[in-house]
Amino acid sequence: MNKIKYALCIFIAATVTCAVVFLPYLYYSSIDKRDINNYVTESYSFESKNDNITSEELISLLSSDEAIWLESNTYSMYYDGKQFNDLLDEIDSAQPLLKSAFNDNELANMAIEKFYEVASQISAYKVQEVTVNGEINGSPISVTLLDVVYSDFSENGAGEFEILMDKKTKIVYEFKCTPKEPIVQDDFIDEHDLNETVEQNLREQTCFALCDYWGIEGEHNYNVETSFYSFYFNIMPLAFTDYEFNNYNSIMYGYDKTDSGYEISEKNNYY
C-alpha cells in the first residue's frame, strides 16, 4: 500500500513539474506562430534630401532655429599621418574654385596662397565636420560643412587661419588669413605705398568677386574684412561658431522669420 502511495506521489509531482515547465512554452509558442502568420510587412522611406544646396539656401539653413546639426567623427584621429594628408587633400579641393573667383585680386590670391602654405606645414588647431539638415520652402535640404582652424604661434607672434567649406560643392563660405607678417610682399607695399584708397578698392573687388562666387545679391549681410595684414570673408554676419548647433538667437542678430525661412532685417547693417 505504501509503495502505491509513493508511486502515486512521484507521478503527481512529475505531472505538476511538467505542467509548470512545458505548458507556458507550448502556450507562448502557439501565440508566436499566430503572430507570425499575422505579420504585415510595411516599408517606410524618407524624402530624399538635396545635398547640393545654393548659397541662398545655406544662409536660410544656418540661420534656422529648427535645423538639426549632426557632428561627424571623420577626423577624430586627425593627428594620424594619413588623416593629416586626407584633410589637406579635402581643403585643397576647394582651392581651384576659390582662386578662380579672385583672378584679378592680388591681395586675395596672396592670402589664399599663404593659407595653403600654412595648412601644409602645421597641424590644425580644430577640425570639425558637421551635417546640417533642415527644410527650406517645404523641401528637405542637407549640407556637410568642414571647419578647419590653424593657429601659427612663434616668438615672432601668432597667426590665425580658418576655412569653412561645403564638402560636396567645394564652395568656401568662411575664410580667414591673418599671418604674423603682412600678407602682401614688400614690393607690393612699396608700389602702393599702403594707400587707403588701394585697400578700399581691393575690398570692393573682393565683395564683387564673392557675390559672383556665392551666387548672391549684394544686399545680403555677408562679412568682408581686408587689409594688407588680414584677409577675411564670411557669407554670414557672424562666425560659424556663433551659429553651430543653433547656438544663437536669430532675431537678436537681425533675422526675421518668414513663411519661407529667415531673412535678414534692417536692424543691423554688417556690410
Side-chain angles (χ1 to χ4, degrees), residues 26 50 63 89 94 96 104 114 127 175 181 188 210 236 241 256:
L26 295 173
N50 176 15
S63 57
D89 289 342
D104 302 322
K114 183 63 178 177
V127 183
F175 182 89
E181 300 175 350
F188 183 91
L210 286 171
M236 306 293 285
T241 52
D256 289 332

Side-chain angles (χ1 to χ4, degrees), residues 84 133 261-262:
F84 180 93
N133 304 280
Y262 281 88

